[in-house]
Amino acid sequence: VSGAAAKPVWSGDDAISAHYASLVPFEGVVFGYHGRAESRPVFRCVDIATGKVRWSEPGSGGGSVLRAGSTLILLRDSGELQLAPADAAAFRPTDRVQILGTQTRAVPALSGGVLFARDRSQLLAVRLRD
């Protein structure tokens, strides 16, 4: 950015096209969902400097992603919560648990180690750390 002008580093929807969830940056990459909910989205890692896809997780469905330190917190549309290291080499979830019902589309919030999440009928708080 220079003054009131911005020069794109790269652009296009081929690398990552987040439908309704934000991307999460970490150490030179971004993590996020690529594609629309109705067209089988996938979870991806993309190099910020080049726009090159580092990896893509097929069959992951849509959802939202947050980051706490070097841990990714994914809440899938299916209501499944996943924790995984923020790793530019591969997606390796360490924990998975069903916490909500289907059509979980609201972006969760994290505060003080507690994740606040909702689906169509309930709001809940999940402690992620002591």
Side-chain angles (χ1 to χ4, degrees):
V1 175
S2 177
K7 180 181 174 188
V9 175
W10 56 270
S11 67
D13 281 345
D14 293 338
I16 195 149
S17 178
H19 181 189
Y20 57 82
S22 297
L23 304 176
V24 173
F26 184 69
E27 296 184 350
V29 297
V30 290
F31 299 94
Y33 287 92
H34 172 68
R36 297 185 59 83
E38 59 274 2
S39 62
R40 299 186 183 172
V42 296
F43 190 63
R44 281 194 172 168
C45 175
V46 175
D47 186 278
I48 291 172
T50 66
K52 179 182 175 190
V53 176
R54 295 276 189 101
W55 52 258
S56 190
E57 184 68 19
S60 56
S64 297
V65 61
L66 302 172
R67 183 176 60 83
S70 61
T71 300
L72 298 176
I73 302 165
L74 289 78
L75 182 58
R76 296 182 52 192
D77 289 351
S78 65
E80 182 183 62
L81 175 66
Q82 296 180 343
L83 303 179
D87 188 342
F91 181 62
R92 297 181 186 101
T94 56
D95 299 283
R96 296 173 187 243
V97 62
Q98 191 73 33
I99 63 168
L100 291 167
T102 59
Q103 294 191 356
T104 299
R105 299 255 172 104
V107 177
L110 181 65
S111 178
V114 177
L115 182 76
F116 297 89
R118 69 164 293 114
D119 63 12
R120 298 176 103 184
S121 62
Q122 65 179 328
L123 170 66
L124 59 84
V126 177
R127 182 166 304 284
L128 298 181
R129 66 176 179 143
D130 292 331

